[in-house]
PDB file of all heavy atoms in Angstrom:
ATOM      1  N   GLY A  16     -60.789 112.311  40.834  1.00  0.00           N
ATOM      2  CA  GLY A  16     -60.648 111.020  41.499  1.00  0.00           C
ATOM      3  C   GLY A  16     -59.236 110.743  41.961  1.00  0.00           C
ATOM      4  O   GLY A  16     -58.796 109.587  41.941  1.00  0.00           O
ATOM      5  N   SER A  17     -58.515 111.758  42.391  1.00  0.00           N
ATOM      6  CA  SER A  17     -57.104 111.606  42.756  1.00  0.00           C
ATOM      7  C   SER A  17     -56.867 110.490  43.775  1.00  0.00           C
ATOM      8  O   SER A  17     -55.973 109.669  43.608  1.00  0.00           O
ATOM      9  CB  SER A  17     -56.548 112.923  43.298  1.00  0.00           C
ATOM     10  OG  SER A  17     -56.557 113.911  42.311  1.00  0.00           O
ATOM     11  N   LYS A  18     -57.656 110.472  44.831  1.00  0.00           N
ATOM     12  CA  LYS A  18     -57.449 109.457  45.863  1.00  0.00           C
ATOM     13  C   LYS A  18     -57.640 108.056  45.282  1.00  0.00           C
ATOM     14  O   LYS A  18     -56.837 107.166  45.529  1.00  0.00           O
ATOM     15  CB  LYS A  18     -58.398 109.682  47.034  1.00  0.00           C
ATOM     16  CG  LYS A  18     -58.225 108.668  48.150  1.00  0.00           C
ATOM     17  CD  LYS A  18     -59.165 108.933  49.315  1.00  0.00           C
ATOM     18  CE  LYS A  18     -58.999 107.890  50.400  1.00  0.00           C
ATOM     19  NZ  LYS A  18     -59.961 108.096  51.493  1.00  0.00           N
ATOM     20  N   GLY A  19     -58.693 107.868  44.507  1.00  0.00           N
ATOM     21  CA  GLY A  19     -58.957 106.569  43.899  1.00  0.00           C
ATOM     22  C   GLY A  19     -57.847 106.120  42.971  1.00  0.00           C
ATOM     23  O   GLY A  19     -57.483 104.944  42.949  1.00  0.00           O
ATOM     24  N   LEU A  20     -57.293 107.061  42.203  1.00  0.00           N
ATOM     25  CA  LEU A  20     -56.189 106.707  41.314  1.00  0.00           C
ATOM     26  C   LEU A  20     -54.966 106.283  42.120  1.00  0.00           C
ATOM     27  O   LEU A  20     -54.307 105.301  41.787  1.00  0.00           O
ATOM     28  CB  LEU A  20     -55.836 107.884  40.403  1.00  0.00           C
ATOM     29  CG  LEU A  20     -56.848 108.191  39.310  1.00  0.00           C
ATOM     30  CD1 LEU A  20     -56.496 109.502  38.621  1.00  0.00           C
ATOM     31  CD2 LEU A  20     -56.921 107.062  38.305  1.00  0.00           C
ATOM     32  N   GLY A  21     -54.658 107.016  43.172  1.00  0.00           N
ATOM     33  CA  GLY A  21     -53.511 106.670  44.007  1.00  0.00           C
ATOM     34  C   GLY A  21     -53.667 105.326  44.681  1.00  0.00           C
ATOM     35  O   GLY A  21     -52.705 104.577  44.842  1.00  0.00           O
ATOM     36  N   LEU A  22     -54.900 105.012  45.070  1.00  0.00           N
ATOM     37  CA  LEU A  22     -55.175 103.735  45.741  1.00  0.00           C
ATOM     38  C   LEU A  22     -55.400 102.586  44.763  1.00  0.00           C
ATOM     39  O   LEU A  22     -55.405 101.427  45.177  1.00  0.00           O
ATOM     40  CB  LEU A  22     -56.423 103.868  46.624  1.00  0.00           C
ATOM     41  CG  LEU A  22     -56.320 104.769  47.835  1.00  0.00           C
ATOM     42  CD1 LEU A  22     -57.697 104.932  48.491  1.00  0.00           C
ATOM     43  CD2 LEU A  22     -55.319 104.198  48.833  1.00  0.00           C
ATOM     44  N   GLY A  23     -55.628 102.923  43.493  1.00  0.00           N
ATOM     45  CA  GLY A  23     -56.002 101.886  42.531  1.00  0.00           C
ATOM     46  C   GLY A  23     -57.398 101.369  42.829  1.00  0.00           C
ATOM     47  O   GLY A  23     -57.690 100.189  42.653  1.00  0.00           O
ATOM     48  N   SER A  24     -58.282 102.259  43.273  1.00  0.00           N
ATOM     49  CA  SER A  24     -59.615 101.885  43.728  1.00  0.00           C
ATOM     50  C   SER A  24     -60.683 102.429  42.792  1.00  0.00           C
ATOM     51  O   SER A  24     -60.604 103.566  42.334  1.00  0.00           O
ATOM     52  CB  SER A  24     -59.841 102.449  45.136  1.00  0.00           C
ATOM     53  OG  SER A  24     -61.189 102.296  45.536  1.00  0.00           O
ATOM     54  N   LEU A  25     -61.698 101.633  42.554  1.00  0.00           N
ATOM     55  CA  LEU A  25     -62.860 102.069  41.783  1.00  0.00           C
ATOM     56  C   LEU A  25     -64.076 102.252  42.689  1.00  0.00           C
ATOM     57  O   LEU A  25     -65.207 102.322  42.212  1.00  0.00           O
ATOM     58  CB  LEU A  25     -63.177 101.060  40.675  1.00  0.00           C
ATOM     59  CG  LEU A  25     -62.132 100.934  39.579  1.00  0.00           C
ATOM     60  CD1 LEU A  25     -62.507  99.838  38.591  1.00  0.00           C
ATOM     61  CD2 LEU A  25     -61.928 102.251  38.852  1.00  0.00           C
ATOM     62  N   LYS A  26     -63.860 102.352  43.991  1.00  0.00           N
ATOM     63  CA  LYS A  26     -64.949 102.557  44.940  1.00  0.00           C
ATOM     64  C   LYS A  26     -65.374 104.022  44.906  1.00  0.00           C
ATOM     65  O   LYS A  26     -64.535 104.920  44.877  1.00  0.00           O
ATOM     66  CB  LYS A  26     -64.505 102.209  46.361  1.00  0.00           C
ATOM     67  CG  LYS A  26     -64.175 100.756  46.563  1.00  0.00           C
ATOM     68  CD  LYS A  26     -63.709 100.531  47.985  1.00  0.00           C
ATOM     69  CE  LYS A  26     -63.273  99.099  48.195  1.00  0.00           C
ATOM     70  NZ  LYS A  26     -62.726  98.914  49.553  1.00  0.00           N
ATOM     71  N   ALA A  27     -66.685 104.258  44.938  1.00  0.00           N
ATOM     72  CA  ALA A  27     -67.210 105.626  44.886  1.00  0.00           C
ATOM     73  C   ALA A  27     -66.663 106.483  46.020  1.00  0.00           C
ATOM     74  O   ALA A  27     -66.372 107.661  45.827  1.00  0.00           O
ATOM     75  CB  ALA A  27     -68.734 105.600  44.926  1.00  0.00           C
ATOM     76  N   GLU A  28     -66.487 105.916  47.191  1.00  0.00           N
ATOM     77  CA  GLU A  28     -65.997 106.698  48.332  1.00  0.00           C
ATOM     78  C   GLU A  28     -64.538 107.125  48.170  1.00  0.00           C
ATOM     79  O   GLU A  28     -64.063 108.017  48.880  1.00  0.00           O
ATOM     80  CB  GLU A  28     -66.178 105.940  49.660  1.00  0.00           C
ATOM     81  CG  GLU A  28     -65.443 104.634  49.745  1.00  0.00           C
ATOM     82  CD  GLU A  28     -66.266 103.408  49.340  1.00  0.00           C
ATOM     83  OE1 GLU A  28     -67.254 103.567  48.589  1.00  0.00           O
ATOM     84  OE2 GLU A  28     -65.911 102.309  49.784  1.00  0.00           O
ATOM     85  N   ASP A  29     -63.820 106.505  47.239  1.00  0.00           N
ATOM     86  CA  ASP A  29     -62.425 106.881  46.983  1.00  0.00           C
ATOM     87  C   ASP A  29     -62.282 107.841  45.805  1.00  0.00           C
ATOM     88  O   ASP A  29     -61.193 108.348  45.559  1.00  0.00           O
ATOM     89  CB  ASP A  29     -61.567 105.632  46.734  1.00  0.00           C
ATOM     90  CG  ASP A  29     -61.424 104.780  47.984  1.00  0.00           C
ATOM     91  OD1 ASP A  29     -61.472 105.333  49.098  1.00  0.00           O
ATOM     92  OD2 ASP A  29     -61.256 103.556  47.835  1.00  0.00           O
ATOM     93  N   ALA A  30     -63.364 108.126  45.103  1.00  0.00           N
ATOM     94  CA  ALA A  30     -63.312 109.030  43.948  1.00  0.00           C
ATOM     95  C   ALA A  30     -63.460 110.471  44.430  1.00  0.00           C
ATOM     96  O   ALA A  30     -64.450 111.152  44.147  1.00  0.00           O
ATOM     97  CB  ALA A  30     -64.397 108.670  42.940  1.00  0.00           C
ATOM     98  N   VAL A  31     -62.467 110.916  45.188  1.00  0.00           N
ATOM     99  CA  VAL A  31     -62.476 112.267  45.761  1.00  0.00           C
ATOM    100  C   VAL A  31     -61.127 112.929  45.522  1.00  0.00           C
ATOM    101  O   VAL A  31     -60.120 112.262  45.289  1.00  0.00           O
ATOM    102  CB  VAL A  31     -62.792 112.238  47.270  1.00  0.00           C
ATOM    103  CG1 VAL A  31     -64.197 111.718  47.523  1.00  0.00           C
ATOM    104  CG2 VAL A  31     -61.777 111.420  48.035  1.00  0.00           C
ATOM    105  N   ALA A  32     -61.124 114.249  45.624  1.00  0.00           N
ATOM    106  CA  ALA A  32     -59.901 115.014  45.372  1.00  0.00           C
ATOM    107  C   ALA A  32     -58.915 114.963  46.533  1.00  0.00           C
ATOM    108  O   ALA A  32     -57.714 115.124  46.333  1.00  0.00           O
ATOM    109  CB  ALA A  32     -60.258 116.462  45.066  1.00  0.00           C
TER     110      ALA A  32
END
Side-chain angles (χ1 to χ4, degrees):
S17 296
K18 181 179 179 183
L20 288 171
L22 292 173
S24 171
L25 294 176
K26 295 178 184 176
E28 61 266 23
D29 292 331
V31 296

